[in-house]
Amino acid sequence: MPAAKLGLYPGKALADARAMVPDLAVIRANEPADRKLLEAIADWCVRYTPLVALDPPHGLFLDVTGVAHLFGGEAGLLQDAVRKCTAQGFLVHAALATTAEAARALAQSKPGTVVPPGGEAEAVAPLPTDALNTKPHIIYALKRAGLKTIGEVVGRTRQELASRFGGSFVLLLERTRGRNGGPITPRIPVPLLMAERRFAEPVTAGTAIAETLLSLSKDIAVILEPQGQGVRILEACFFRADGQVRHVTIETGHAIREPTLIVRLFQEKLDALIDPLDPGFGFDVIRLSVLSVQVIPVENIGFDTRSCEQDVAFLVDRLAARFGAQRILRFLPQNTHIPEAASIAAPAQYTEPVAGPWRVERDSDGTPSRPLRLFAKAEPIIVPEEDLAGMPVRFYWRHALHRLAHAEGPERIATEWWHYQNPGHTRDYFRVKDEEGQHFWIYREGLPDRETLQPRWFMHGLLA
Amino acid sequence: MNASFKPNLKTLPGGVPGLALARAPLGHVAADACLCGGLLPGAVHEVFAAMAGAGAAASGFALALALRALAKPKWLLWVRQDFSALELGEIHADGLHDFGADPSRVLLLRAPDANAVLRGGADGLGCKGLGAVIVEPWGSAPMFNLTASRRLLLAARQHGITVIVLRHGCAPAPSAAETRWLIRPAPLAPDDEDRGIPRFDAALLRNRHGPAGRWMMDWDCNNGIFRTAHSRASVPPFTGRSVEAPLEDLRQAG
């Protein structure tokens, strides 16, 4: 039996409620979990329309403008949604009207109503004032004034209502009567373009899923082609028959339109998922949503031979889809002489190749002055001994002793004191070879006696 | 593994249809003579670090081979395992440039484990824009077996992409590699000049189409070519073309 019929309502003290209904089943409220569940249901509802908004604590608005005919009309859509939600174990009340507020009022008091356009004022008039869903003190005041239904409230003049309850209440009242409807705020960004397939029998086979993605990509390509556009961000939504929804997004460095390429990127991504796509009892809807597009420069649309650069760009996309964009990198020079900052490795998908300038650090005889391999963090070494010129003679690195056969330096690199409050110490770099021929790039941090009494030594990189 | 990346391995050893590419001369006279004129592009070449301290030298040698095989507008993909960057340091753009490579045409893939290294390298071999791929797993990665190297070889031939497999901390095992190199850093002799240039003690352990050998090789960073080292440091004589002797050598070195 509904709690309201027993005289229970939100906000009532638990002890009072128990006094009224001795065998009351009590469950502690978990608002975050309720919210999560509501969001999951909202995700599921995206199968009807991308415009789904939350109406906490337990409502959802769906803007079904222009999509109802796909589900057998407005009444058909409403029934379908209610039936499927009920089948998943939810108690659902739904109604359909011109404005969100009218639909909400009707869903609470007369679930299942589909109001013909323009009929909202008439439909909501007999509803109790609670259906307005406004602040409790307003409802209380309306009841105290003897206004039991929305129709009676509408009968008062607007000036009266506005001066007593504020302008926003008047607006709410108008909207509940199906006028001045405002847009809802969709929970997820509305895609620019969508293509989807619905299956009478849920699909589970990987090949069927790949086929579907391919044909959806073709649908999208057909629409984008006349505009000369390609996709940058594309989302595939897999709606499982049992209500779970899985989103998989791919991103490309350059706009692409070729359906086979798009499907290959999705394959890479699906293969690399940590928790793989689980069809369960099958997907009944698969949808591709284009979230970002870009114009494809005309010269790129070529014949069947793609250029080297495009090939490399696509390789980057594939590797990024598989390993993540942070793992496939390109090198970019930076305007600084601090060695670890002079060049950076940045995600190749988000950057364009930069031809340079790379500073030629080589000595005149062709000796490289920068190491091929640089440690992300310089490792401390122990230099027990320096010669009279301040050159190291031997050092310990990772507990191994290296006796030096050759040392070149110092190359003094001062810190960028004009950038930082506390720029750290000057470094003196040495290229040293030990007796085995291993080539190291080490530095002494801090000018002796000027910056520090006890200079420290570090291993920064390895030369070939 | 991609469906397109599963050739019928039984047909392999007889010879695979592929691009006929000219050999890329290394510039080192004796080595080029052994290699029938130079490094075979579109093939798999293995570079082993001979000991714990030879990782950087092996990296340099692998890069040098890749640069020799790389045709000008093509890209280089370097796939390295995360552990390798911890042990030896990350690939450094300024260092690449000093070595003679063009960092703006190098892609770096940071692979979390050896499986990902193999996978990423194989992915790269489907890309016509690449000229060479350096594949750098760490340790005795068991997935780099004969089958894997044959697959790499097939894909490499198809698009004429040279694969350099750079190995640290493991002993050579049978593979489909065209050449196999064992690299040590070359010690300095007291009266050496050019003391800073990259110098390798390179042993060619295996050569599918010629004899093996061992040489001191200098890398000329300005011109991107190997030179015969004018070092007084003694190269231990290399006996025979069998793989056994250097392998013994390797075991002793640890």
Side-chain angles (χ1 to χ4, degrees), chain A residues 101 104-106 108-109 127-134 139 150 176:
Chain A
E101 288 78 5
R104 178 171 62 189
L106 286 163
Q108 278 180 10
S109 307
L127 303 185
T129 43
D130 294 307
L132 281 172
N133 263 297
T134 181
I139 304 282
I150 295 179
T176 311

Side-chain angles (χ1 to χ4, degrees), chain A residues 110-409:
Chain A
K110 272 164 79 181
T113 316
V114 176
V115 185
E120 283 82 4
E122 201 181 320
V124 300
L127 303 185
T129 43
D130 294 307
L132 281 172
N133 263 297
T134 181
K135 297 178 187 95
H137 72 268
I138 296 184
I139 304 282
Y140 184 67
L142 289 171
K143 284 182 176 164
R144 285 285 298 271
L147 303 172
K148 296 280 191 303
T149 66
I150 295 179
E152 287 171 8
V153 177
V154 172
R156 314 301 300 186
T157 64
R158 299 291 170 272
Q159 287 86 345
E160 274 180 328
L161 292 171
S163 58
R164 177 68 178 80
F165 302 115
S168 60
F169 176 74
V170 175
L171 184 64
L172 172 72
L173 195 64
E174 284 303 308
R175 287 188 169 171
T176 311
R177 299 179 69 226
R179 296 182 202 159
N180 288 336
I184 61 171
T185 311
R187 203 172 82 77
I188 50 172
V190 180
L192 305 165
L193 197 63
M194 274 178 5
E196 68 181 27
R197 286 280 174 288
R198 286 162 190 280
F199 303 98
E201 278 296 311
V203 296
T204 50
T207 50
I209 293 169
E211 282 292 317
T212 310
L213 287 177
L214 183 66
S215 78
L216 293 176
S217 311
K218 281 179 185 158
D219 292 353
I220 284 173
V222 166
I223 298 171
L224 288 178
E225 191 158 16
Q227 302 159 25
Q229 288 175 328
V231 300
R232 286 291 305 274
I233 306 177
L234 195 59
E235 185 186 58
C237 304
F238 300 92
F239 294 84
R240 233 163 72 167
D242 63 1
Q244 271 205 26
V245 186
R246 188 73 187 269
H247 303 272
V248 175
T249 309
I250 57 162
E251 247 186 291
T252 65
H254 298 90
I256 60 169
R257 200 165 55 210
E258 229 177 281
T260 48
L261 296 189
I262 293 174
V263 173
R264 262 179 91 179
L265 287 182
F266 271 117
Q267 291 286 13
E268 295 284 342
K269 190 82 182 190
L270 291 177
D271 286 354
L273 286 180
I274 295 170
D275 49 337
L277 193 67
D278 175 17
F281 295 109
F283 300 113
D284 55 356
V285 181
I286 295 179
R287 168 187 294 174
L288 278 190
S289 311
V290 180
L291 299 183
S292 168
V293 293
Q294 197 180 40
V295 173
I296 301 181
V298 176
E299 67 269 16
N300 283 6
I301 306 168
F303 302 101
D304 47 3
T305 51
R306 290 198 309 278
S307 71
C308 279
E309 300 300 307
Q310 273 175 298
D311 235 35
V312 170
F314 182 59
L315 174 69
V316 166
D317 287 343
R318 274 172 63 204
L319 293 174
R322 173 173 298 282
F323 298 107
Q326 300 303 316
R327 286 193 172 271
I328 174 74
L329 309 164
R330 74 168 94 248
F331 296 109
L332 302 175
Q334 301 292 306
N335 187 18
T336 172
H337 56 260
I338 304 295
E340 63 269 26
S343 63
I344 56 166
Q349 208 176 18
Y350 304 139
T351 50
E352 291 294 323
V354 177
W358 302 96
R359 284 166 46 207
V360 180
E361 308 266 9
R362 241 172 270 153
D363 294 356
S364 52
D365 60 347
T367 309
S369 70
R370 288 291 178 266
L372 188 55
R373 313 202 66 142
L374 191 79
F375 290 105
K377 194 171 185 307
E379 298 182 5
I381 56 175
I382 299 167
V383 178
E385 206 180 330
E386 295 170 25
D387 66 10
L388 291 175
M391 308 276 254
V393 175
R394 58 196 166 93
F395 66 84
Y396 291 91
W397 175 49
R398 294 180 177 172
H399 305 293
L401 174 65
H402 297 271
R403 291 176 202 283
L404 299 186
H406 170 68
E408 251 173 281

